[in-house]
Amino acid sequence: MNRSNPAISGRSNGGADFLQLDPAEAPPGGLADWLTDRLRTAISTGHLPVGTRLPATRTLATDLGLSRGVVTESYQRLTEDGHVSTHGRRGTVVVAAAMIGDVRTSEGPRFVGRQNLAVTDDVFDRLRGLPARIDLTPGVPDLAAFPRSAWLRAERAVLADLESADFGYGDPAGTPTLRRAVAAWLAQYRGITANPDDLIIVAGVAQAIGLVAQMLEQHGIHEIAVEDPGSLGSRQHLQNWGMQTPPIPVDDRGMQVDVLRNSGAGAVMVTPAHHFPTGVVLDGERRRELIQWATDGGLVIEDDYDAEHRYDRPPVPALRSMLPDQVIYAGSVSKLLAPALRIGWMLAPPQYKEELIARKRLADLGNAGLPQLTLAALMESGELERQLRFLRRRHRTRRDAMVTAIRNHLPTATIHGAAAGLHLTITFKGGDDTALAAAALEAGVKTHPLSWHCQLPHAPGLVLGYAARTPTEITEAIATIAKVR
């Protein structure tokens, strides 16, 4: 062992029982790098599974004969990467698996080829199940940033105040407490004035889409026009309930409303604040055209996708704030907190509200009450706003890393939608984006081909999520894509 290294004390016993770590393996001057790499590898291989508490910095430093600063720096790097988190008295805990190199199972490497990226009803489930060193799947939030401590505090406070009767069946439209909190949130952040009684709490936007489709089908509407490019997932949900989804082209000003008007569709689903997947904002003239189309009898289903996550542009008001009688509005906390909560909300015009509540009642008798009350407490305490501000800073850094990497490694690609959201899209001149996505997956990088989200011909491209990855991982992933292109 190199005793001249000031980071190593004279008390070294030659290593630690924990992971059989031996500082003698570290290169000169690289103790923090060595320790970080060993811990990250142990997390990726499952030797330190999610939930494992790491030794206290002082304890591990003593066992290894290192200065405490080396261990602290290593833990800090893992925290910045999103692999561990500090939880007060619980110490430093593994919260997300790292992917180092080709993670192998007993069956060997499981990266797959192009045939596995064919669009089927279960394509997203299949893609989630495939391993990758770096996952750039769009729509995935930074799950390692979930405010666990704040959630636990809010949940404890809610439980302390609950009456026994509160554990029974509740209002299928949602708890009054959460509806009041959501109404206040929408007024402050989306410019929507809404009575809490008009809100329906749903299991995410996906359930809102299904309830609306079922209702409209009973009203004789069998087509809901969609943006193109547009979310494959939303289109699948609509089609599952028997809806046809005529495509309406999207350009750099948003959906082409003149094409919508000529389509004859009676309803349309839009993402006007941050279009998925191109990130374009529906501009003022197109908004006025869409409002006129709705005033003439059309129905707008507004998915307020990613509206809170903006970096380089001012906020865009929700369509619902301008036209409450012809817009069904849907939003959720899936991208702000976590999809696992399955909490979203819907605002419907008065003529549809009771029918949608009835369908929600028959679907599941209403969302679970305890998570609703906990979320309401986060909203009312200001914790959710603090989380949003924290995520904006974190996401901006990761977005910047992705833009820089694309410019360095894919200079001929065109970048779309970098001003907001959790993803951006790149397009190329020519090529097969499904083949490119498959090649990237074989090389260990997971993403979406843009063609998945298109019904009409469109330039090939990739939809790249950045919220859940570190700048280092993002740079590596883009460099990998460039190599296989």
Side-chain angles (χ1 to χ4, degrees), residues 3 17 50 58 117 165 182 270 289 297 328 337 344-345 384 409 417-418 429 463 476:
R3 297 291 183 181
D17 292 331
V50 172
R58 189 184 303 277
L117 295 186
V182 171
V270 294
E289 292 175 0
I328 297 177
L337 289 177
W345 44 80
L384 192 63
H409 297 286
K429 293 181 179 178
V463 191
E476 179 187 347

Side-chain angles (χ1 to χ4, degrees), residues 453-485:
H453 303 285
C454 301
Q455 299 182 80
L456 301 171
H458 196 278
L462 296 176
V463 191
L464 306 166
Y466 52 75
R469 302 272 65 89
T470 67
T472 300
E473 291 172 320
I474 288 168
T475 301
E476 179 187 347
I478 298 303
T480 299
I481 292 171
K483 289 178 183 178
V484 301
R485 184 169 177 257

Side-chain angles (χ1 to χ4, degrees), residues 6 28 43 93 123 141 181 201 208 210 252 262 322 338 341 350 378 464 468:
I43 294 171
V93 178
V123 64
I201 304 302
D252 58 2
N262 293 331
M322 307 173 190
L341 294 178
L378 287 183
L464 306 166

Side-chain angles (χ1 to χ4, degrees), residues 49-57 75 84-96 146-150 152 156:
V50 172
T52 300
R53 184 174 64 182
L54 300 185
T57 54
Y75 282 17
V84 304
S85 180
T86 301
H87 296 280
R89 293 183 178 179
R90 287 186 61 205
T92 301
V93 178
V94 177
V95 296
F146 184 86
R148 297 176 185 229
S149 297
L152 285 172
R156 289 191 188 102

Side-chain angles (χ1 to χ4, degrees), residues 226-456:
V226 296
E227 298 162 318
D228 197 277
S231 167
L232 169 62
S234 295
R235 196 164 76 238
Q236 287 179 328
H237 281 293
L238 291 172
Q239 292 170 351
N240 177 62
W241 294 106
M243 285 290 162
Q244 297 179 44
T245 56
I248 309 299
V250 171
D251 58 25
D252 58 2
R253 296 170 54 206
M255 185 181 63
Q256 298 178 17
V257 183
D258 57 335
V259 179
L260 171 65
R261 186 175 292 276
N262 293 331
S263 73
V268 64
M269 185 167 180
V270 294
T271 52
H274 181 246
H275 171 255
F276 183 90
T278 70
V280 69
V281 175
L282 189 66
D283 75 5
E285 182 179 351
R286 295 277 176 85
R287 280 175 172 256
R288 289 188 290 273
E289 292 175 0
L290 184 58
I291 288 172
Q292 185 59 57
W293 174 84
T295 302
D296 293 339
L299 178 67
V300 176
I301 304 163
E302 179 179 15
D303 178 0
D304 208 19
Y305 182 81
D306 270 2
E308 302 95 343
H309 300 288
R310 57 180 181 80
Y311 318 114
D312 303 326
R313 62 167 172 79
V316 180
L319 282 174
R320 169 77 189 200
S321 66
M322 307 173 190
L323 195 68
D325 291 337
Q326 290 299 123
V327 174
I328 297 177
Y329 174 91
S332 79
V333 293
S334 292
K335 304 300 184 288
L336 183 53
L337 289 177
L341 294 178
R342 306 312 306 140
I343 300 179
W345 44 80
M346 178 167 48
L347 273 169
Q351 65 270 30
Y352 297 126
K353 186 185 78 169
E354 293 303 324
E355 185 172 353
L356 286 169
I357 292 175
R359 291 188 177 278
K360 172 65 175 172
R361 180 185 298 110
L362 293 174
D364 55 20
L365 299 180
N367 280 35
L370 184 56
Q372 290 185 63
L373 295 172
T374 304
L375 176 59
L378 287 183
M379 288 178 157
E380 292 168 349
S381 68
E383 287 287 352
L384 192 63
E385 180 184 3
R386 284 189 282 274
Q387 177 73 2
L388 173 58
R389 294 184 183 280
F390 164 73
L391 289 175
R392 279 180 180 168
R393 295 191 298 270
R394 190 171 172 118
H395 292 163
R396 183 194 293 269
T397 299
R398 296 177 177 192
R399 185 279 311 266
D400 291 348
M402 179 168 280
V403 170
T404 298
I406 291 169
R407 289 172 176 166
N408 289 339
H409 297 286
L410 295 167
T412 62
T414 301
I415 300 173
H416 309 266
L422 307 181
H423 76 276
L424 57 78
T425 295
I426 55 175
T427 55
F428 309 99
K429 293 181 179 178
D432 182 335
D433 58 13
T434 302
L436 176 58
L441 181 59
E442 290 175 337
V445 177
K446 190 184 300 187
T447 185
H448 282 192
L450 178 58
S451 58
W452 275 9
H453 303 285
C454 301
Q455 299 182 80
L456 301 171

Side-chain angles (χ1 to χ4, degrees), residues 213 216-224 241-246 266:
L216 293 182
E217 196 274 335
Q218 291 298 309
H219 285 261
I221 296 177
H222 306 292
E223 288 187 344
I224 297 178
W241 294 106
M243 285 290 162
Q244 297 179 44
T245 56

Side-chain angles (χ1 to χ4, degrees), residues 94-118:
V94 177
V95 296
M99 300 299 258
I100 306 299
D102 291 352
V103 177
R104 297 171 183 266
T105 67
S106 60
E107 301 171 346
R110 292 169 52 222
F111 298 145
V112 296
R114 178 178 177 179
Q115 69 276 11
N116 295 78
L117 295 186

